[in-house]
Amino acid sequence: MHRSASRLTRVLACAAVPVVLAVAGCSSDSGKDSDSGNGKKSDSSASAKPSGKASAALEKATYATLPDPCKALQTATIDSLVPEAKDKNGAAAKSNDLANRSGCAWNGLDEDGLKGSQYRWLQASFWRYDSQAALGSADKRAEENYNKQVELAKTTQGAENVKAEPAEGIGNQGTSVVYSVKKDNVDHFNTTIVARTHNVVITLDYNGAGLEGAAAPDQAKLLQDAMVAAKEIVASVEAANQQQAQQPQSESPQPQ
């Protein structure tokens, strides 16, 4: 059964609001030096005096780069989670710092004639952190944003029946948050997986809805599929950094 272009546009408007890629805890510490702002002369002898405690060197960030967000999931995974995806290559999120913030989203409408349609929306978002003296170690900064993203998922506007649980086996930390949101009298079932692998935080948002009389998706199945995809995304972070580490070796001249 054919659907009009205006009908498809209205249906796709039901997608969840994309996650805003925001880095937590990046405020400047430039205002802490109040002496210079008050016209006081700094005491050079005091500044040179040892504190008595050796400052611990910040650990080097484990991961130096992020994977291509639209290639972090295999094509077979996209086909499984988002049947009839409008663009299997995904739509990359806008970012002016792809080494530290990136994301990609897919959506699809699987029509089945008089039985209605199944709508699916999937988004992967990435944040990467470096160690900075004023802000802390890379892992600590990532953990702070991990906790922030979990809270954001739990407090999604309009969310009902929110349930958060540990997501085992996904990076160093993992949490799943499931809930439902009603839009245009249609229940959208949402799953968010938040994971941290060392200094990288990942969120995978996955939701589905049955439209035009189609049965509602199985929320347990949505969660199971999201967990599988999240593990694949975490693995893509390690693979991207291994590839980068090997790049100089492949470009170096071979011994004669």
Side-chain angles (χ1 to χ4, degrees):
M1 183 174 72
H2 296 289
R3 300 286 190 273
S4 66
S6 61
R7 178 67 171 168
L8 178 59
T9 301
R10 184 175 65 81
V11 170
L12 295 183
C14 293
V17 177
V19 173
V20 177
L21 297 178
V23 177
C26 290
S27 60
S28 171
D29 291 330
S30 59
K32 290 184 178 180
D33 188 1
S34 58
D35 286 351
S36 59
N38 294 331
K40 297 179 181 180
K41 294 182 179 180
S42 60
D43 188 345
S44 58
S45 61
S47 62
K49 186 183 297 183
S51 63
K53 293 183 179 180
S55 58
L58 290 175
E59 63 185 18
K60 182 179 179 181
T62 301
Y63 295 127
T65 190
L66 293 174
D68 182 332
C70 293
K71 295 180 180 178
L73 289 171
Q74 299 178 19
T75 301
T77 304
I78 299 299
D79 288 340
S80 176
L81 271 64
V82 190
E84 302 299 325
K86 185 167 63 174
D87 183 357
K88 292 185 179 182
N89 293 322
K94 293 182 179 180
S95 173
N96 58 2
D97 188 5
L98 291 174
N100 296 310
R101 297 187 299 274
S102 65
C104 192
W106 301 260
N107 67 76
L109 187 66
D110 187 6
E111 300 181 283
D112 193 12
L114 296 176
K115 294 182 179 180
S117 306
Q118 288 290 333
Y119 175 77
R120 296 292 185 272
W121 182 82
L122 174 69
Q123 177 171 279
S125 303
F126 298 79
W127 293 263
R128 192 192 72 85
Y129 295 89
D130 284 313
S131 294
Q132 294 186 17
L135 300 174
S137 70
D139 282 18
K140 177 179 177 291
R141 296 179 66 204
E143 185 172 3
E144 289 173 351
N145 192 33
Y146 165 83
N147 292 327
K148 176 183 177 181
Q149 296 304 320
V150 171
E151 289 305 311
L152 285 174
K154 290 163 60 177
T155 57
T156 299
Q157 184 175 5
E160 299 178 350
N161 304 314
V162 179
K163 184 178 181 180
E165 293 183 332
E168 302 295 339
I170 304 180
N172 300 104
Q173 292 177 284
T175 298
S176 67
V177 183
V178 298
Y179 56 91
S180 61
V181 175
K182 189 176 288 292
K183 297 183 179 181
D184 296 330
N185 294 320
V186 175
D187 288 322
H188 288 249
F189 295 98
N190 297 258
T191 295
T192 297
I193 307 294
V194 184
R196 179 183 71 85
T197 173
H198 296 289
N199 60 311
V200 173
V201 176
I202 298 157
T203 63
L204 183 136
D205 296 286
Y206 185 44
N207 74 56
L211 306 177
E212 299 177 337
D218 183 342
Q219 196 164 19
K221 180 66 164 57
L222 292 177
L223 174 58
Q224 180 182 16
D225 288 344
M227 293 278 284
V228 171
K231 291 179 181 179
E232 188 175 319
I233 288 177
V234 168
S236 76
V237 175
E238 182 175 358
N241 283 271
Q242 288 178 342
Q243 189 175 36
Q244 186 187 59
Q246 295 170 357
Q247 193 69 26
Q249 294 179 352
S250 63
E251 294 179 351
S252 60
Q254 298 298 318
Q256 300 295 326

